[in-house]
Amino acid sequence: MTFLDNASRGVGQAFGFHLKPIHVTRLQGQPDPHLFLNDLTRQGWRLIHLQRRDLVAQVFSVIYAAHAGRYHFTNDRRDEDRPLAIKPKRFVRKLRAWNDMRELEQRAIRGLDAIDLSYEGDLVDPVRRDKALARIVASLGLPPAPMSSSLRKSVRRPVWEMIANADEVRDAMVAAGFDPETGRRLNPEPDLAPQMFRR
């Protein structure tokens, strides 16, 4: 907590940072992310919970970024959205990890006062982004502020159009117990997530 206190001093009206459960368990050595987040809220920090509901798109985005060699795409780049062949086992392995992380994340945030946002519901277009920003600044007691960014989505076509061997990947997902539309487990196993992030 000392690092956050020091980092947030003298930065103006607000200070924010990106935090994942794995940062808490591995870097902070705190086995229970919920307790860590609860301590933050007691100290006056506000939680903004941003998630991507579509885990198929999430996993593909990570694989695509690794393939492209970068995670941030700007408007000045004219990258073509070319379909990518993906090893089905690799896709399923990453999907399993994201499901585990999502389950741990849900447990960590449960019962805490947080602004809940999703890429699909709040960031999909400029109008919704402006509304989401208005919610955030209002909750922080800040005046409205304009928002602009040169960043853009890495993939603009539907995910399944971007996977060259889509049928193979879908079949592997179903065989492993995942819904090919959402990427969620068909039969959730809630006890798996903590095991993944313990030392």
Side-chain angles (χ1 to χ4, degrees):
M1 300 292 188
T2 304
F3 169 77
L4 292 178
D5 293 336
N6 292 336
S8 61
R9 285 197 184 104
V11 295
Q13 293 180 303
F15 173 82
F17 58 95
H18 178 197
L19 182 69
K20 293 182 179 178
I22 197 169
H23 297 150
V24 177
T25 56
R26 288 193 180 165
L27 301 181
Q28 295 294 322
Q30 166 62 266
D32 188 346
H34 179 81
L35 292 178
F36 185 84
L37 293 179
N38 193 42
D39 285 345
L40 285 180
T41 60
R42 286 180 178 177
Q43 293 177 34
W45 291 90
R46 292 286 286 127
L47 301 179
I48 300 171
H49 182 219
L50 173 62
Q51 66 176 324
R52 197 167 187 172
R53 292 186 188 130
D54 184 348
L55 291 181
V56 173
Q58 176 68 68
V59 170
F60 179 77
S61 178
V62 170
I63 291 173
Y64 184 85
H67 173 76
R70 58 203 172 91
Y71 287 81
H72 298 100
F73 295 77
T74 56
N75 289 327
D76 63 336
R77 297 292 294 261
R78 296 289 180 262
D79 305 81
E80 288 186 45
D81 291 343
R82 293 180 181 159
L84 187 64
I86 298 173
K87 293 180 180 178
K89 286 184 180 179
R90 178 187 182 203
F91 195 90
V92 168
R93 187 172 63 249
K94 287 190 175 294
L95 193 57
R96 186 172 286 116
W98 274 96
N99 270 270
D100 288 349
M101 187 160 60
R102 182 59 52 79
E103 290 163 12
L104 180 58
E105 191 179 284
Q106 294 297 335
R107 278 196 291 275
I109 206 84
R110 188 175 295 138
L112 299 179
D113 183 25
I115 299 170
D116 282 308
L117 302 173
S118 72
Y119 283 91
E120 296 87 348
D122 299 291
L123 304 181
V124 72
D125 60 54
V127 172
R128 294 190 200 183
R129 282 197 296 273
D130 287 346
K131 286 183 179 177
L133 179 62
R135 283 176 57 201
I136 292 169
V137 297
S139 76
L140 296 174
L142 300 174
M147 180 179 69
S148 63
S149 174
S150 62
L151 296 178
R152 68 163 177 81
K153 292 177 67 174
S154 57
V155 178
R156 289 165 287 191
R157 290 168 56 188
V159 171
W160 288 114
E161 288 183 15
M162 288 295 296
I163 300 177
N165 54 331
D167 289 342
E168 283 181 80
V169 173
R170 272 198 188 97
D171 290 347
M173 286 176 62
V174 172
F178 293 101
D179 181 341
E181 297 310 312
T182 65
R184 303 288 180 125
R185 284 191 175 97
L186 294 172
N187 297 300
E189 301 173 74
D191 293 327
L192 288 180
Q195 301 296 329
M196 179 187 173
F197 296 102
R198 285 185 185 142
R199 290 184 168 198

